[in-house]
């Protein structure tokens, strides 16, 4: 089946190779205790593949999930972010790897990182699949990044447009 109105920006094969490389880097730089905190919903596909690649790279991660929501006028994310669905367990003393689909303004990851620190995490690192250059509004950088992309709205591999297209195995651009 084809999806004619979506053009491929990053292919399934490119993603697979890159996720393996990211996992090797994470396994090297974060040996020992590792709690992957996947930010829902957008990161669920990336997180699932990254976890299996971490296993292949020799790491023994645990995983937990958190949904944070930003509320604001219009389509741009505001700085006001709250925990919508929380982690299952305390994280005091843990080495956290925050995983998200994309770093754009940085509001989401800045909030999540500060929240992990406030709860007493021993360390907090950040892995993102995508990064849109030149859009940062917060002082936050990812420790590992899959791909830098231009300022286009992308879907697939967990990322949605109005709730659709998360299931696509590639990162694509919706053509209008
Ligand atoms: P930030 O808080 O501005 O960094 O926004 C990051 C969040 O915005 C991501 O977790 C996505 O849910 C969403 N987002 C940003 N850009 C895109 C895009 O191009 N496609 C789909 N979702 C996006
Ligand atoms: Mg998201």
């Amino acid at each position: 089946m084809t999806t004619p109105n979506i053009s491929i920006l990053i292919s399934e094969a490119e993603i697979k190779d890159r996720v393996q490389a990211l996992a090797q880097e994470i396994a090297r730089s974060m040996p020992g205790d590792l709690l992957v905190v996947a930010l829902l919903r957008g990161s669920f596909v990336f997180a699932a593949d990254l976890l299996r690649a971490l296993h292949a790279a020799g790491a023994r991660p645990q995983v937990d999930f958190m949904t944070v929501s930003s509320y604001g006028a219009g389509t741009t994310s505001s700085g006001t972010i709250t925990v919508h669905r929380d982690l299952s367990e305390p994280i005091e003393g843990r080495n956290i790897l925050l995983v998200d689909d994309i770093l754009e303004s940085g509001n989401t990851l800045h909030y999540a990182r500060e929240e992990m620190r406030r709860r007493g995490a021993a360390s907090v690192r950040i892995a993102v699949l995508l990064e849109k250059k030149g859009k940062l509004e917060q002082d936050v950088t990812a420790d590992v990044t899959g791909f830098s992309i231009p300022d286009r709205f992308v879907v697939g591999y967990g990322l949605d447009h109005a709730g659709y297209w998360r299931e696509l195995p590639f990162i694509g651009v919706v053509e209008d």
Side-chain angles (χ1 to χ4, degrees), residues 7-65:
S7 61
I8 296 177
L9 183 66
I10 307 169
S11 73
E12 193 173 354
E14 286 174 290
I15 295 171
K16 189 168 187 239
D17 285 354
R18 191 70 187 121
V19 169
Q20 271 168 19
L22 297 184
Q24 280 159 16
E25 198 180 322
I26 293 162
R28 256 199 316 273
S29 62
M30 299 185 75
D33 171 61
L34 178 58
L35 176 63
V36 170
V37 171
L39 299 180
L40 297 176
R41 287 176 275 179
S43 78
F44 79 107
V45 177
F46 175 44
D49 282 349
L50 187 66
L51 276 166
R52 284 172 286 189
L54 282 169
H55 174 78
R60 293 292 172 266
Q62 291 181 308
V63 64
D64 206 342
F65 302 93

Side-chain angles (χ1 to χ4, degrees), residues 5-6 29-31 34 45 55 64 93-94 111 131 136 139 147 155 161 166:
N5 54 342
I6 296 176
S29 62
M30 299 185 75
L34 178 58
V45 177
H55 174 78
D64 206 342
R94 302 298 306 272
Y111 171 86
E131 163 183 71
L136 265 187
D139 181 19
F147 304 91
V155 296
H161 177 60
R166 293 191 197 273

